[in-house]
Amino acid sequence: MRIYSFRHLAIVLGGVVSSSCVIEGGGCSGPFCFSVATDLCDNGELCGDQNNGNDVCPDADDIQAAAIAYLNTLRATATNCGVVSLPQALPLQWSVAEFVAADRHALDMAGNNFVAQNGSDGLGVSDRLGQTGNIVAASIGQAVAGGFASTKSLLSAWSDQPTECALMMRAEFTKVGLACRYDNDSDFGQYWTLVLSGS
């Protein structure tokens, strides 16, 4: 059984990271483990000790196609995110800048074996978007995860989590990028970063 760990969202408003928006929970629910990689699940395995070395990331073009299809289907109707019902939202457009920012962070997490909102250099999502040379949007969202072998399994798991579901449904977001990087010597193998932005 694969056990996954993922952390929750950080929202950037007006270019300033609001650290109070970073939510980290702990514990296990079914096949998923949340928060730190030292949580023990009911089978006694360490949540961070799951990489079997056989799974790699999907191709970037496949990630793009699957992400756009999944997210825009999700946003096409009103959606319950936990106990909150959110109205439908306009479709998202794939953005090279958001993808580049997501890819840089996923690469950092994979190479340095961690799952967190900020990079090993302390940079956050607004910093990485700024490095792409594009104007940083007024509203930016990010979600990170480790251990998912497919885009659909990742987005499906996030849509079942109230915080990530609400992030993906936010009406002000218009652009999206999603990236996966793999490291065979890491705890989770695949490391994912989702970046969304809008006015």
Side-chain angles (χ1 to χ4, degrees):
M1 175 192 318
R2 295 276 312 206
I3 299 181
Y4 308 104
S5 173
F6 54 96
R7 305 261 168 112
H8 300 285
L9 78 110
I11 299 294
V12 180
L13 299 173
V16 178
V17 174
S18 173
S19 60
S20 63
C21 291
V22 178
I23 303 167
E24 296 184 19
C28 302
S29 174
F32 297 100
C33 290
F34 305 94
S35 192
V36 295
T38 55
D39 284 343
L40 287 174
C41 289
D42 54 6
N43 63 359
E45 292 184 1
L46 287 174
C47 297
D49 190 24
Q50 300 303 313
N51 178 35
N52 62 15
N54 295 325
D55 297 321
V56 296
C57 289
D59 179 83
D61 290 337
D62 293 337
I63 291 173
Q64 177 181 345
I68 289 296
Y70 188 97
L71 291 169
N72 287 339
T73 299
L74 178 71
R75 291 168 65 90
T77 60
T79 301
N80 289 326
C81 295
V83 297
V84 177
S85 180
L86 297 172
Q88 72 180 68
L90 293 175
L92 296 168
Q93 297 295 316
W94 188 261
S95 167
V96 172
E98 277 67 15
F99 169 74
V100 168
D103 188 56
R104 287 176 179 168
H105 189 59
L107 180 62
D108 183 23
M109 291 193 301
N112 292 292
N113 196 25
F114 72 96
V115 178
Q117 295 296 329
N118 290 333
S120 61
D121 53 6
L123 296 180
V125 63
S126 61
D127 300 309
R128 288 186 296 280
L129 269 175
Q131 290 174 340
T132 67
N134 291 305
I135 297 172
V136 177
S139 183
I140 302 168
Q142 172 178 278
V144 297
F148 290 83
S150 75
T151 307
K152 185 176 179 181
S153 65
L154 169 75
L155 295 174
S156 178
W158 274 342
S159 66
D160 289 338
Q161 300 301 314
T163 304
E164 283 80 5
C165 175
L167 174 75
M168 295 186 294
M169 287 296 295
R170 286 184 64 160
E172 69 266 30
F173 292 146
T174 57
K175 296 186 287 187
V176 64
L178 175 65
C180 177
R181 287 297 187 128
Y182 177 80
D183 191 303
N184 190 52
D185 295 324
S186 64
D187 289 336
F188 296 108
Q190 303 90 348
Y191 290 79
W192 296 83
T193 303
L194 174 72
V195 175
L196 303 111
S197 72
S199 56

